[in-house]
Amino acid sequence: MNSLSRRNFIRQAAMAGAGMTLLPSALLSKEKDPAKVRLGFIGVGLRGQGHLELALHRADVEVVAICDIQQRMIDMSKELIAKSGKPMPQIFSDGPYGYKKLLERKDIDAVIIATPWEWHTVMCLDAMNAKKYVGCEVITGMTVEECWELVHTSERTGMPLMMLENVCYRRDVMAVLNMVRQNVFGEVVHLQGGYQHDLRAVKFNNGKDPYGGGVEFGEKAFSEASWRTQHSVLRDGDLYPTHGLGPVAMMIDINRGNRLTELVSYSSKGRGLHDYIVKNAGENHPNAKVGFKLGDIVTTMIKCARGETILLQHDTNLPRPYSLGFRVQGTNGLWMDVNNSIYVEGKSKPHEWDDAQSWLDKYDHPLWKKYGNDASGAGHGGMDWFVINAFIEAVKRKTNTPQDVYDAVTWSAITPLSETSIRLGGETVEIPDFTQGQWMYRKNEFARNDDY
């Protein structure tokens, strides 16, 4: 699994892929299929187990196969399956390419991929070529070239690819989406979001527990620290843009009447990870000698075709409470999640914030009104239930997924493009149009009602 150190993470962002079209509609039926979705899981680490548990609770899903290279994760997954009372699926654990044997099963309709980032593209490609629907964890492509390859393969095979960006389904975010569509904020002018999350106890652990307790990463670590931290060693850019970008992109019709056109990124100095090691293990620990390339705060400004601006921030190496830093601002007012506040001109007291909750309750999205009880207790405040439900429903109905391949690659491409901009000293970088002009004609149907 040391392929990370062998790969070139700062390839020049290339504009490639001529002759692209949208997914062939002839290959996607709009008729509902009442049959169960037969699901395979590629990667059943802690994140994959969360998705697995949700699938096991559904009467319309049959878990046919699971795959992982770590026996500990297989054993934990088998316990979940046994507790559910569902039949034990076929298990594939024979090396990093064992997933290819899983894909050979003709009775699998769809796969959920929850593996380290560097494996996502090849696994998505292999799955689509095997004629499977694909639900993939963030992110789907680590280079612009990989993003183009995902688009071309999805179009050629007719198989949808959905990046499982769960924050698009967060309850307050969906309420604000509803407010945007009802023109509460007027014409939207500026948006902000990000990944502002102290991940030091995720990037380092003691090799036994998944979170904290030590300063190990790589081969001596467990779970995410065994692979994720290496990205902070080798790369400098917005490594996780989609939690912030995905929700606001849906609010301003990105890829559906609007598009991202260019970005510029800057990176601060990096001190947080080194200081964490020293504070917890001393300056003589071998990892205190490691140089981390990732800046502690990476800031990216994006311009859109309709004139909106989007500010993204990646902030995972310093002590701070969790926040995605959302701000949606228009000609009539704005919402900010950091102080849970809203101001609407003519409705709020002049120059005074309203507490957001009464507004969020009033504009609660129909999906949450309908399925809020079903989502209760699911991961990340219930939004994990919604993103998996959306994927499963699309497979059942043989339709495209509500977050599609163009969303997956557009949001993922921010990472390599930000790396390029930073490497070039803050140069403006063009963002590819992965729809090849079709964004001008597509309509935004994401979460328009309480269907899925």
Side-chain angles (χ1 to χ4, degrees), residues 7-77:
R7 299 185 64 176
N8 177 8
F9 293 116
I10 54 174
R11 293 185 211 172
Q12 182 69 30
M15 295 290 289
M20 195 181 71
T21 58
L22 296 183
L23 284 171
S25 58
L27 297 179
L28 297 174
S29 167
K30 293 185 178 180
E31 296 181 1
K32 294 185 178 181
D33 184 354
K36 287 187 177 182
V37 170
R38 298 165 298 181
L39 201 57
F41 282 82
I42 301 175
V44 286
L46 300 185
R47 186 65 183 137
Q49 287 172 39
H51 295 320
L52 173 63
E53 190 168 15
L54 286 171
L56 291 169
H57 280 103
R58 296 184 66 109
D60 57 355
V61 171
E62 178 185 353
V63 178
V64 174
I66 64 173
C67 177
D68 204 281
I69 63 172
Q70 296 186 26
Q71 189 59 44
R72 179 176 176 181
M73 297 305 186
I74 292 289
D75 292 341
M76 293 171 70
S77 298

Side-chain angles (χ1 to χ4, degrees), residues 427-447:
E427 290 280 345
T428 298
V429 178
E430 291 186 0
I431 300 173
D433 171 17
F434 292 103
T435 74
Q436 290 278 275
Q438 293 299 316
W439 63 272
M440 293 182 283
Y441 312 107
R442 304 176 77 211
K443 293 183 179 181
N444 189 351
E445 300 298 337
F446 176 78

Side-chain angles (χ1 to χ4, degrees), residues 46 201-202 204-206 208-214 222-224 276:
L46 300 185
V202 174
F204 302 105
N205 59 41
N206 58 11
K208 299 178 182 178
D209 303 308
Y211 306 117
F222 174 60
S223 191
E224 285 183 71
Y276 181 83

Side-chain angles (χ1 to χ4, degrees), residues 70-122:
Q70 296 186 26
Q71 189 59 44
R72 179 176 176 181
M73 297 305 186
I74 292 289
D75 292 341
M76 293 171 70
S77 298
K78 289 170 68 176
E79 289 182 13
L80 287 175
I81 297 163
K83 288 179 181 178
S84 75
K86 298 290 182 69
M88 191 62 62
Q90 185 176 4
I91 295 170
F92 297 88
S93 58
D94 48 346
Y97 294 98
Y99 75 91
K100 290 179 177 286
K101 294 181 180 178
L102 179 149
L103 293 175
E104 291 175 0
R105 287 192 58 148
K106 302 299 183 184
D107 59 344
I108 292 179
D109 303 309
V111 295
I112 290 179
I113 298 171
T115 56
W117 297 337
E118 55 268 29
W119 285 92
H120 286 182
T121 297
V122 65

Side-chain angles (χ1 to χ4, degrees), residues 133 389-402 452:
Y133 269 72
N389 181 67
F391 179 66
I392 296 299
E393 288 296 327
V395 179
K396 283 169 60 177
R397 304 170 192 216
K398 295 183 172 62
T399 61
N400 204 349
T401 52
Y452 71 100

Side-chain angles (χ1 to χ4, degrees), residues 113 120-129 134 136 140 150 161:
I113 298 171
H120 286 182
T121 297
V122 65
M123 289 176 170
C124 287
L125 293 172
D126 287 342
M128 287 188 287
N129 282 321
V134 183
C136 182
T140 53
L150 289 166
L161 166 61

Side-chain angles (χ1 to χ4, degrees), residues 244-260:
L245 179 57
V248 299
M250 288 301 189
M251 293 177 191
I252 56 171
D253 308 319
I254 297 303
N255 293 330
R256 301 162 175 84
N258 196 6
R259 83 173 189 91
L260 310 180

